Amino acid sequence: MTAANIHHKKRDSPTRVQGGVLRITVDCREKSSGLPELLAPHFTVTLRAISYGDYLINERITVERKTASDFLISIIDSRLFKQAANLKKRCFHPLLLIEGNPFATGLDFDPRAIRGALLSIQCAWRIPIIFSRSKQDTADILVMIGQQDEDRTDDAPMRGGYRPKRVKGRQLYLLQGLPDVGPRLAQRLLDHFQSVGRVMNATVEELTEVEGVGRTRAEKIREILD
């Protein structure tokens, strides 16, 4: 297992990519970690409660951060797999970041159980796992994720050439034509508003009631519709 090793030079202002500023929402419980301060030179940081995960990058990528010890404890108390289920169901692009080596925590833990949990997250839940060596390494990784996400936002086709035949499939297909709306967010929008028409008529404030839709994304959607 090789930890990610990414190093960035400190900046005095938020990193600008394609004329924009990287954005990150940090869950309030992460305030004491010191990471918000490490991220501030690179992101516009918003500190608030997040329903799922610890970091929301560019309102698209949800990162659940765990120290190596917390990762092991979350296996014991069954938090890990409940969190994985919510991340997969509720988040557009979930990631699990483990800070430190879970095989070298000093805790008396069966290595096979650790390996099984890692494989379950990646294979059964299909959530990518990233390893970091330290808080600074974690901050550097989050910055690179934000940069790469911003770079490819306008390049990746959302719907391809697929043309659904069923009514619900057509509804979801239509919603994926909105800015930054992928398959999972389209489903959440439809579940919340119950019809495409109500989504199209929703205000910015109403759109932000849906998990994964921040004010910036809601304003982009309304700009297109209006």
Side-chain angles (χ1 to χ4, degrees), residues 16-30:
R16 293 191 174 273
V17 180
Q18 294 185 349
V21 176
L22 299 179
R23 305 176 307 281
I24 190 166
T25 303
V26 181
D27 187 81
C28 299
R29 292 166 293 184
E30 286 288 294

Side-chain angles (χ1 to χ4, degrees), residues 166-203:
R166 296 179 181 274
V167 171
K168 186 173 181 180
R170 290 178 179 178
Q171 291 174 322
L172 295 173
Y173 181 84
L174 283 171
L175 292 176
Q176 288 179 63
L178 297 173
D180 298 339
V181 176
R184 292 189 184 89
L185 182 52
Q187 182 66 64
R188 291 201 297 273
L189 285 167
L190 191 58
D191 289 344
H192 183 85
F193 290 103
Q194 297 298 307
S195 76
V196 173
R198 289 177 180 172
V199 176
M200 301 302 183
N201 291 321
T203 64

Side-chain angles (χ1 to χ4, degrees), residues 53-212:
D54 298 310
Y55 298 86
L56 182 60
I57 300 174
N58 295 336
E59 298 180 358
R60 285 186 288 274
I61 300 175
T62 302
V63 180
E64 173 73 27
R65 169 186 169 264
K66 291 186 180 299
T67 62
S69 297
D70 184 48
F71 176 74
L72 300 187
I73 294 170
S74 70
I75 297 174
I76 296 173
D77 63 17
S78 301
R79 270 185 301 127
L80 179 64
F81 301 111
K82 292 178 182 177
Q83 289 172 327
N86 282 325
L87 286 170
K88 191 65 179 179
K89 183 178 180 181
R90 305 290 184 181
C91 304
F92 175 61
H93 192 338
L95 299 171
L96 173 62
L97 187 147
I98 301 176
E99 199 172 280
N101 185 346
F103 292 95
T105 62
L107 298 177
D108 185 13
F109 215 96
D110 186 346
R112 292 174 298 178
I114 300 174
R115 187 173 295 110
L118 293 171
L119 290 173
S120 179
I121 295 298
Q122 295 182 92
C123 299
W125 295 105
R126 299 192 179 185
I127 297 175
I129 298 178
I130 302 171
F131 295 93
S132 81
R133 294 175 177 168
S134 63
K135 288 181 182 178
Q136 183 60 61
D137 199 25
T138 295
D140 292 340
I141 289 170
L142 295 179
V143 170
M144 182 166 281
I145 290 172
Q147 290 173 332
Q148 293 187 351
D149 172 67
E150 192 73 13
D151 284 341
R152 71 181 295 276
T153 297
D154 295 329
D155 299 331
M158 300 299 289
R159 301 185 292 173
Y162 174 63
R163 297 295 185 273
K165 295 181 179 180
R166 296 179 181 274
V167 171
K168 186 173 181 180
R170 290 178 179 178
Q171 291 174 322
L172 295 173
Y173 181 84
L174 283 171
L175 292 176
Q176 288 179 63
L178 297 173
D180 298 339
V181 176
R184 292 189 184 89
L185 182 52
Q187 182 66 64
R188 291 201 297 273
L189 285 167
L190 191 58
D191 289 344
H192 183 85
F193 290 103
Q194 297 298 307
S195 76
V196 173
R198 289 177 180 172
V199 176
M200 301 302 183
N201 291 321
T203 64
V204 168
E205 287 70 24
E206 289 170 338
L207 288 169
T208 58
E209 294 174 1
V210 179
E211 182 70 29

